[in-house]
Amino acid sequence: MLVTVLAGGIGGSRFLQGVRAVLDEHAGTGVPRPDAHLVAVVNTADDITLFGLRVSPDLDTVMYTLGGGSDTERGWGRSDETFTAKAELAAYGAQPDWFGLGDRDLATHILRTQMLAAGYPLSQVTEALCRRWPLGLRLLPMTDERVETHVVVADEEAPAGARAIHFQEYWVRLHAAPAVREVVLVGIEDTTPAPGVAEAIAEADVVLLAPSNPVVSIGPILAVPGIRAALHRRSGPVVGISPIISGSAVRGMADKLLPAIGVHTDAAAVGLHYGARSGGGVIDGWLVDESDAAGLATLEAAGIAARAVPLFMDDTGASSAMAAAALELAGSVGARR
Amino acid sequence: MLVTVLAGGIGGSRFLQGVRAVLDEHAGTGVPRPDAHLVAVVNTADDITLFGLRVSPDLDTVMYTLGGGSDTERGWGRSDETFTAKAELAAYGAQPDWFGLGDRDLATHILRTQMLAAGYPLSQVTEALCRRWPLGLRLLPMTDERVETHVVVADEEAPAGARAIHFQEYWVRLHAAPAVREVVLVGIEDTTPAPGVAEAIAEADVVLLAPSNPVVSIGPILAVPGIRAALHRRSGPVVGISPIISGSAVRGMADKLLPAIGVHTDAAAVGLHYGARSGGGVIDGWLVDESDAAGLATLEAAGIAARAVPLFMDDTGASSAMAAAALELAGSVGARR
């Protein structure tokens, strides 16, 4: 069985841990290549160049988390991390000083930058970096081309009353405080899916949309020209999991960004935003939290098979239960088609 | 009084500390710009690109040492250093793994590389990096152009029985063990002195050659087209200090490299190698250690004013005494001309 998951960073990683656990259990002990049954297609629109180094926060979060090298207490970056170089950059007065560049993390960015400069595409660089980690999945960037999510925020001091900043500045430096007028995926029109992405979507028995941010994580993946078409064209089911529970983002800042794309911060509303494949959208099924069961009828009426199950990923067991529920829904959707 | 010192890394830094101490004492407390009376022209032929980052070992050693940020016990690199990124690069299997890249040091290389990539010449990058440190001198790279010292070492497995390796590989990785056939300064013919270097040589009251390696530190500086001519043209004295004491290199590997350029590992022989300015060489005076006093007559016969004084720089006091002796010799040479 091959499962392909479209995912962002932190929420995506947790969900992928659950999917991996379920698939590993199904496969038993005799799997020759544990990465042969799970592909993660990961958002790269959060990527940023800092001090001349190319940083891919979502790819790295998935790589570190699935590789067992993430700091689970801090919630981002590497375990056993030090921040010596960051302190030294600050002593030089170098800007920006608000991005948490750990020394271990820096090694990843240095190697990525070196390989990119040597001409290797991001997908090959990612594959090379992943060789060191026992990921148990195949990690693909959504595209090899550069995209950057810029957020247009209100700024009374700016001439137009607003200014565009990189998503990382909005989130890491400004903690999503300014009012958002627009989210712009700079360069997205000129991208193509990275090698293997279209195939992973076409050939997967099940495609899952992780409970990642619909605006800045799943949104950019779906906006890469060719990916929506690949989701439409495939024969098997596509099931998504709501990142919104009881009208709030479980983590991150989806609640601040959904209004900018005209979507209510509501589990059913996000499912309807993705839309039924039968009606030109990208999903066949949608999982919401038990507390959002009231929206099931609306979703079903729109042609989306919907289920309400516990969606808090507070431990790997919960992530696995969620992944199992998503695969089960995919199975029932697949049988119905 | 303006003193310009041509210098390499570790030995050059110690000597510069002594010169700075002597000049500070002379100038008293009322000096408005403490860097107005001392210029260091530093070797950059040891520079190397590692993991896409441009490393300037000699410039950094001078900057860290004179800035009070060097590790005096280890003898190289930054104080309070950590090596987390280095361990991580090794975990990725990245090569080379033999260069001691500390995390603080890495911050310097990251900023240098970023500024060079933005189009700033090395001299401006060096000036920008130095702003953070109270150096008490003006630090100039010998050239803004790229030069790399390659060492041709015997290698029975190589087709020609020898191979060329970067000086850092010869010194840091191979600990100067292989027999040296030749030292090649790749690219030196196409260099020009960095902005300020010719002026610092022309306008200085005294030019000093630090007791640095004659082959791979002072040698490359003198080989930059225009620097020898500037030394010839200036009116004031040029005095050098022997890096060889009693037939041995005080530190480093000069004893292994001098044979490759046909010079005996002997204090007087190195002085004669630099040669009297009156006879087409670059020095007017040469300081040797007390133990090498036997060579004084030969030097004087060749037109080089020579003195024997204690030359071990075992503490700052000793470095200062050495610097004072060099300036005194320069004074007597200047009076004689």
Side-chain angles (χ1 to χ4, degrees):
Chain A
M1 179 168 175
L2 175 66
V3 176
T4 293
V5 180
L6 312 191
I10 297 175
S13 297
R14 289 227 190 163
F15 181 66
L16 282 163
Q17 285 182 305
V19 179
R20 184 178 63 180
V22 170
L23 293 178
D24 284 352
E25 201 180 317
H26 280 201
T29 52
V31 189
R33 282 186 48 214
D35 59 343
H37 59 185
L38 180 55
V39 178
V41 175
V42 170
N43 172 45
T44 56
D46 288 7
D47 290 11
I48 188 168
T49 301
L50 295 167
F51 309 110
L53 301 174
R54 194 69 183 156
V55 181
S56 297
D58 284 1
L59 285 174
D60 288 346
T61 296
V62 173
M63 182 171 76
Y64 297 158
T65 306
L66 277 287
S70 66
D71 189 305
T72 49
E73 279 196 27
R74 190 174 54 233
W76 55 269
R78 287 296 319 278
S79 50
D80 301 317
E81 187 60 290
T82 59
F83 291 86
T84 309
K86 183 175 192 285
E88 193 69 11
L89 289 167
Y92 275 113
Q95 289 292 337
D97 58 1
W98 43 262
F99 198 88
L101 276 180
D103 299 318
R104 280 187 205 285
D105 199 24
L106 211 46
T108 302
H109 310 322
I110 288 170
L111 291 181
R112 173 184 295 115
T113 305
Q114 187 184 14
M115 288 189 272
L116 288 172
Y120 294 97
L122 183 60
S123 51
Q124 286 184 31
V125 171
T126 303
E127 190 184 342
L129 290 172
C130 285
R131 262 181 225 133
R132 157 202 182 170
W133 308 89
L135 288 193
L137 60 76
R138 189 168 169 221
L139 179 57
L140 297 178
M142 66 185 200
T143 179
D144 277 337
E145 277 94 40
R146 184 161 168 169
V147 192
E148 285 195 359
T149 300
H150 286 199
V151 180
V152 181
V153 296
D155 181 352
E156 288 182 7
E157 290 175 22
R163 66 193 171 102
I165 55 178
H166 192 287
F167 168 74
Q168 296 295 347
E169 184 172 358
Y170 165 75
W171 174 230
V172 179
R173 180 178 172 220
L174 302 173
H175 308 293
V180 174
R181 300 204 178 166
E182 199 183 347
V183 175
V184 184
L185 307 175
V186 180
I188 195 82
E189 314 78 25
D190 301 322
T191 61
T192 51
V197 168
E199 294 80 353
I201 291 173
E203 294 162 14
D205 297 291
V206 176
V207 171
L208 300 176
L209 271 54
S212 299
N213 192 306
V215 187
V216 293
S217 296
I218 303 294
I221 301 175
L222 296 177
V224 172
I227 288 191
R228 271 183 176 273
L231 286 167
H232 275 293
R233 209 182 301 125
R234 61 177 260 104
S235 54
V238 181
V239 165
I241 296 91
S242 177
I244 302 294
I245 298 181
S246 307
S248 301
V250 181
R251 65 178 63 75
M253 71 330 282
D255 52 328
K256 307 283 181 66
L257 295 178
L258 281 167
I261 62 164
V263 176
H264 285 292
T265 305
D266 172 80
V270 174
L272 294 171
H273 162 66
Y274 287 134
R277 282 171 81 206
S278 56
V282 296
I283 56 173
D284 303 299
W286 187 241
L287 275 190
V288 302
D289 185 63
E290 293 170 311
S291 63
D292 292 313
L296 292 180
T298 319
L299 288 157
E300 292 279 355
I304 298 170
R307 297 279 186 285
V309 298
L311 284 195
F312 278 104
M313 295 191 287
D314 42 13
D315 58 34
T316 310
S319 301
S320 298
M322 222 167 93
L327 291 171
E328 194 182 307
L329 177 55
S332 76
V333 167
R336 200 167 62 181
R337 284 162 67 96
Chain B
M1 180 167 174
L2 175 66
V3 177
T4 293
V5 180
L6 313 191
I10 297 176
S13 298
R14 290 227 190 164
F15 181 68
L16 282 163
Q17 285 181 306
V19 179
R20 183 178 64 179
V22 171
L23 293 177
D24 285 352
E25 200 179 318
H26 281 200
T29 53
V31 190
R33 280 185 50 214
D35 58 344
H37 59 186
L38 181 55
V39 178
V41 175
V42 170
N43 171 46
T44 56
D46 287 6
D47 291 12
I48 187 167
T49 301
L50 295 168
F51 309 111
L53 301 174
R54 193 71 184 155
V55 181
S56 296
D58 284 2
L59 285 173
D60 289 346
T61 297
V62 173
M63 182 170 78
Y64 297 158
T65 306
L66 277 289
S70 66
D71 189 304
T72 50
E73 279 196 29
R74 190 174 52 234
W76 56 268
R78 288 295 318 279
S79 49
D80 300 318
E81 186 60 290
T82 59
F83 291 86
T84 309
K86 182 176 191 284
E88 193 68 11
L89 289 168
Y92 274 114
Q95 289 292 337
D97 58 2
W98 44 262
F99 198 88
L101 276 180
D103 299 318
R104 280 188 204 284
D105 199 26
L106 211 46
T108 302
H109 310 322
I110 287 171
L111 291 180
R112 173 184 295 117
T113 304
Q114 187 185 15
M115 289 189 272
L116 288 172
Y120 294 96
L122 182 60
S123 51
Q124 286 185 31
V125 171
T126 303
E127 190 184 342
L129 291 172
C130 285
R131 262 180 225 133
R132 142 179 201 192
W133 308 89
L135 288 195
L137 59 77
R138 190 167 169 224
L139 179 58
L140 298 178
M142 65 186 201
T143 181
D144 277 338
E145 277 94 40
R146 185 162 167 168
V147 192
E148 285 195 359
T149 300
H150 287 199
V151 180
V152 181
V153 296
D155 182 352
E156 288 182 7
E157 291 176 21
R163 65 194 174 103
I165 55 178
H166 192 286
F167 167 73
Q168 297 295 347
E169 184 172 357
Y170 165 74
W171 174 229
V172 180
R173 180 177 172 220
L174 301 174
H175 308 292
V180 174
R181 300 205 179 168
E182 199 183 349
V183 176
V184 184
L185 306 175
V186 180
I188 195 81
E189 313 79 25
D190 301 322
T191 61
T192 51
V197 168
E199 295 79 354
I201 291 172
E203 294 162 13
D205 298 290
V206 177
V207 171
L208 300 177
L209 271 54
S212 300
N213 192 306
V215 187
V216 293
S217 296
I218 304 294
I221 302 176
L222 297 177
V224 173
I227 288 191
R228 271 183 175 272
L231 287 167
H232 275 293
R233 208 182 301 124
R234 62 176 261 103
S235 53
V238 181
V239 166
I241 295 90
S242 176
I244 302 294
I245 298 181
S246 307
S248 301
V250 181
R251 64 181 63 75
M253 72 328 284
D255 52 328
K256 306 284 183 64
L257 295 177
L258 282 167
I261 62 164
V263 176
H264 284 292
T265 305
D266 171 81
V270 174
L272 294 171
H273 163 67
Y274 288 135
R277 282 171 79 207
S278 56
V282 296
I283 56 173
D284 303 300
W286 187 241
L287 276 190
V288 302
D289 185 64
E290 293 171 309
S291 62
D292 292 314
L296 292 180
T298 319
L299 289 156
E300 292 281 353
I304 299 170
R307 297 280 186 286
V309 298
L311 285 193
F312 278 105
M313 296 190 287
D314 41 13
D315 58 35
T316 310
S319 301
S320 300
M322 222 167 92
L327 291 170
E328 196 183 305
L329 177 56
S332 75
V333 167
R336 199 168 61 180
R337 284 162 68 95

